[in-house]
Amino acid sequence: MNKKSFSLGMAIASVATIAIAFAASTLPSDKEILQKAKDSGLQAIPTGKELASYQQKKIRETGMAKGYSPLLTKEQIELGKKLYFDPRLSSSNLISCNTCHNLALAGTDVVPAAIGHKWSANPHHLNSPTTLNSAFNDVQFWDGRSSHLGDQAQGPIQNPAEMDAKPDLVVQKITSIPEYVSEFKNAYGKNVKIDFKLIADTIALYELTLVTPSRFDSFMNGNLSALSAKEKEGLNTFIEKGCSGCHTGINLGGSMQSFGITGEYKFLNVGDFRGDKDGLVKTPTLRNIMQTAPYFHNGQFWDVKDAIREMGKIQVGAELNDKEIESIVAFFKSLDGKMPQVSYPVLPSVSSKTAKPSF
């Protein structure tokens, strides 16, 4: 190498070094990213006594299992779990809450539109949201029509396209099974009145326990080393691009927001869902997002990168480049949480009085 080439090479190396140093200096420090996350409304999942207090507050505000105390006991949670997994709550004896909200699949069913009674797809082509961390949603259902989990649990059971069971049928089935009657008494007292609302509320009490704390929560609680450098950079990109405007709070979602603010959703005409009366749509949680494809209310995107790109176009008016998308994906990986340890329950036997399945 001649002297001139050597000097040119050194100059190029110096410029590259300066560029790298400048790029690094433009990134906020870890503490600054944490503060930005808090300032943008992101919150950690509460733990221990704080989580217990949050759960009890939800119960009081929503009137779940009203008239009974204490609530969220071990007996109630175990009973709620059995009801969650019991397909006999459906008219066909084939569909349970876990069918569409499979806890082995991050609380989803991994198909674009939920499949229900008589193998029929959801008539509005709606995708099943995860039940994991649903306690942290402000509202339930894509159109936000339920304010709490107890009310939400009543909907799919009765829906002809889902479990297709009228309240009287559900009560008849449960009260005709001696072991269930005994378990309700153990959970709520010997004078318990087993009605449809209490059955749904008991399912909801179980769902309140389905939380998945992640490394992101450790970071939000002050452990700055809980996320990798790439994940922290992705969190910063996520905030800077405006994603936290809708995906915020404990659940990074769960509230009603406008959809298609700066552009029209590519698959708007797949299904007839257009949000609530004001055109608002419940923002899905981003927790465990890497495990809950397909994405959007009608399940039309299978690759999270494509979903991010689409959201950039239609929500914040940004043409996100590949580097920015990869950065956000890196952050999303930090939202994979510790899954609840769930053992499949052995369900009680029916009696001669239990209503037979219908199709």
Side-chain angles (χ1 to χ4, degrees):
M1 178 182 293
N2 59 38
K3 187 174 181 181
K4 183 177 181 181
S5 298
F6 178 78
S7 299
L8 179 61
M10 290 296 292
I12 292 171
S14 298
V15 170
T17 301
I18 293 170
I20 292 170
F22 178 76
S25 67
T26 60
L27 287 175
S29 68
D30 291 353
K31 287 185 178 180
E32 288 172 331
I33 292 174
L34 174 58
Q35 190 58 52
K36 283 176 71 173
K38 291 181 177 180
D39 290 345
S40 69
L42 299 179
Q43 301 175 50
I45 288 179
T47 59
K49 291 182 179 179
E50 287 186 5
L51 176 59
S53 177
Y54 180 94
Q55 291 165 329
Q56 292 296 330
K57 183 173 181 285
K58 280 279 187 177
I59 291 169
R60 289 193 304 272
E61 289 176 348
T62 58
M64 280 189 275
K66 190 173 183 179
Y68 297 100
S69 182
L71 293 176
L72 211 62
T73 64
K74 179 181 178 181
E75 292 78 11
Q76 292 160 359
I77 294 168
E78 184 61 26
L79 176 56
K81 181 174 80 170
K82 288 185 177 182
L83 295 170
Y84 184 95
F85 280 93
D86 199 332
R88 294 168 300 186
L89 268 63
S90 68
S91 64
S92 65
N93 281 9
L94 291 172
I95 303 171
S96 70
C97 302
N98 194 64
T99 302
C100 293
H101 305 286
N102 194 323
L103 298 183
L105 296 170
T108 64
D109 53 12
V110 296
V111 293
I115 303 298
H117 187 61
K118 295 185 177 181
W119 204 244
S120 58
N122 182 281
H124 307 290
H125 208 283
L126 289 173
N127 179 255
S128 299
T130 179
T131 46
L132 297 178
N133 305 300
S134 55
F136 304 119
N137 290 334
D138 293 342
V139 293
Q140 310 297 333
F141 292 112
W142 284 107
D143 62 0
R145 65 183 181 274
S146 285
S147 61
H148 63 89
L149 288 170
D151 184 60
Q152 185 278 332
Q154 296 184 38
I157 295 174
Q158 299 177 77
N159 193 316
E162 297 183 62
M163 297 170 73
D164 190 46
K166 296 185 183 303
D168 289 347
L169 175 62
V170 176
V171 173
Q172 192 281 329
K173 285 186 174 185
I174 296 300
T175 56
S176 71
I177 299 174
E179 189 175 331
Y180 265 144
V181 174
S182 177
E183 289 193 38
F184 267 94
K185 288 181 178 180
N186 288 337
Y188 295 105
K190 63 180 181 180
N191 295 321
V192 62
K193 180 184 177 183
I194 304 174
D195 58 18
F196 184 61
K197 181 180 184 301
L198 186 61
I199 292 168
D201 284 352
T202 305
I203 294 171
L205 291 176
Y206 171 60
E207 291 176 329
L208 280 175
T209 70
L210 300 176
V211 301
T212 65
S214 67
R215 290 183 294 109
F216 167 73
D217 298 292
S218 297
F219 178 78
M220 292 299 294
N221 285 324
N223 179 3
L224 299 180
S225 63
L227 303 187
S228 69
K230 287 185 177 180
E231 289 167 342
K232 282 179 274 200
E233 181 181 350
L235 172 56
N236 187 62
T237 304
F238 178 83
I239 296 168
E240 284 295 312
K241 293 299 177 180
C243 307
S244 59
C246 293
H247 293 283
T248 189
I250 296 175
N251 226 10
L252 290 87
S255 63
M256 299 299 289
Q257 302 288 343
S258 297
F259 183 68
I261 298 172
T262 58
E264 184 175 286
Y265 173 48
K266 183 177 181 180
F267 297 105
L268 183 67
N269 293 321
V270 176
D272 61 1
F273 179 72
R274 298 293 183 271
D276 68 4
K277 61 182 178 60
D278 297 316
L280 303 179
V281 176
K282 186 191 78 174
T283 306
T285 177
L286 294 180
R287 291 186 176 276
N288 307 300
I289 190 67
M290 302 302 292
Q291 304 175 53
T292 57
Y295 306 112
F296 290 87
H297 62 274
N298 52 13
Q300 291 303 291
F301 283 94
W302 287 89
D303 189 325
V304 73
K305 295 177 185 178
D306 293 333
I308 293 169
R309 194 182 305 277
E310 181 73 2
M311 288 301 287
K313 290 178 182 177
I314 70 172
Q315 289 299 105
V316 295
E319 291 286 343
L320 299 175
N321 60 44
D322 290 345
K323 183 180 178 181
E324 291 167 335
I325 291 171
E326 290 285 357
S327 179
I328 293 172
V329 170
F331 163 57
F332 281 178
K333 291 176 181 178
S334 76
L335 297 172
D336 279 346
K338 182 180 179 181
M339 292 294 165
Q341 294 299 305
V342 179
S343 58
Y344 201 99
V346 177
L347 302 176
S349 301
V350 299
S351 71
S352 60
K353 297 178 180 178
T354 307
K356 304 300 185 289
S358 60
F359 302 93

